């Protein structure tokens, strides 16, 4: 009997299809929950796409039934306590620190910092979303320039149940109207792909079976434009968002996010208000805010 072990699969697959790089999150058994290993693999993949002169557009998707169920708060491969090479900022290693000194440093790096870097990739990016796009899954879709969703996709940010005002990359009032963002957060309910399209959060809704082909076709069409024109146009729109307060607003809201973590740690069992994976599932429902 052989004692050889199968090498673990990479948490992110990278494939180039002509002028399009396809980045696939690859933890389907855990609904593509984002541990640090996946986050840093995504960062390497974005850098690879940036460095490849043959790549003009990036497509980000998830293996399996779901795009991403959010941050990893309970799988066997959860690695939030482990050190990783810091690439998105100058905060210190979080792994040997305690309390806010640890959490703020880590989340400045792997959530807010990484997402801002990916948003500034000078090549257009397209998220192809199926199934769940929840909490931390939102920030991965929102950093992309375009979002194509399958008819079965749904979006939700239920972390207010933890007493926390939304995920770390707080793009809510920029990717949807403020009153819709409030309802989205206040209820924690799911928003269907159709409703997300109606409020302008996503670009297109397509049948599930057509998602991959449609996203690739859109990417190829975008890739027909001049590289420099695409880069400058993307930069122009990003700058307009930042002039509307997006960058500074996120900084201030990131502070509120960590105030909530600290409050939970002082008044309850832990910084997540005791809301582990099972508790979040139990508290959640299939209720929709579609009206």
């Amino acid at each position: 009997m052989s004692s050889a072990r199968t090498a673990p699969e990479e948490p992110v697959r990278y494939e180039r299809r002509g002028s399009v790089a396809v980045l696939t999150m690859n933890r389907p058994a855990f609904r593509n929950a984002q541990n640090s290993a996946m986050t840093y693999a995504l960062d390497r993949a974005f850098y690879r796409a940036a460095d490849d002169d043959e790549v003009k557009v990036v497509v980000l998707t998830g293996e399996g039934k779901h795009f991403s169920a959010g941050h990893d708060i309970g799988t066997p491969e959860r690695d939030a306590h482990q050190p990783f090479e810091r690439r998105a900022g100058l905060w210190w290693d979080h792994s040997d620190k305690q309390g806010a000194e640890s959490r703020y440093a880590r989340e400045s790096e792997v959530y807010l910092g990484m997402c801002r870097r990916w948003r500034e990739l000078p090549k257009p990016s397209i998220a192809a979303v199926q199934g769940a796009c929840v909490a931390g899954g939102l920030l991965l879709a929102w950093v992309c320039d375009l979002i194509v969703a399958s008819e079965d996709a749904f979006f939700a940010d239920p972390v207010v149940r933890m007493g926390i005002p939304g995920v770390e990359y707080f793009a809510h009032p920029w990717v949807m109207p403020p009153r819709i963002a409030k309802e989205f957060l206040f209820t924690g309910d799911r928003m269907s792909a159709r409703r997300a399209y109606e409020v302008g959060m996503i670009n297109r809704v397509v049948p599930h079976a057509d998602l991959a082909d449609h996203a690739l076709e859109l990417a190829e069409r975008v890739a027909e434009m001049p590289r420099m024109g695409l880069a400058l146009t993307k930069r122009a729109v990003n700058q307009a968002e930042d002039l509307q307060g997006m960058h500074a607003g996120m900084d201030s809201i990131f502070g509120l996010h960590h105030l909530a973590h600290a409050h939970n740690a002082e008044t309850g069992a832990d910084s997540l208000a005791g809301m582990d994976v099972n508790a979040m599932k139990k508290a959640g429902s299939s209720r929709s805010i579609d009206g």
Side-chain angles (χ1 to χ4, degrees), residues 130-154:
Q130 80 281 11
C133 183
V134 176
L138 294 169
L139 55 82
L140 298 182
W142 286 347
V143 299
C144 294
D145 302 299
L146 305 176
I147 302 175
V148 179
S150 62
E151 293 170 335
D152 67 329
F154 64 90

Side-chain angles (χ1 to χ4, degrees), residues 234-248:
K234 175 169 179 172
R235 183 65 179 151
V237 177
N238 283 0
Q239 285 179 333
E241 285 185 312
D242 289 338
L243 288 170
Q244 293 167 356
M246 186 172 181
H247 192 281

Side-chain angles (χ1 to χ4, degrees), residues 140-207:
L140 298 182
W142 286 347
V143 299
C144 294
D145 302 299
L146 305 176
I147 302 175
V148 179
S150 62
E151 293 170 335
D152 67 329
F154 64 90
F155 304 83
D157 189 353
V159 302
V160 177
R161 295 191 184 111
M162 299 176 175
I164 297 170
V167 289
E168 298 84 355
Y169 185 83
F170 195 91
H172 308 62
W174 289 276
V175 299
M176 64 183 96
R179 284 193 176 84
I180 302 298
K182 288 178 180 178
E183 183 182 11
F184 187 69
L185 288 162
F186 290 172
T187 66
D189 290 342
R190 296 177 175 183
M191 179 183 288
S192 70
R194 180 58 55 187
R195 179 60 170 163
Y197 174 77
E198 290 171 353
V199 302
M201 192 175 80
I202 68 176
N203 297 87
R204 300 183 183 184
V205 181
V206 300

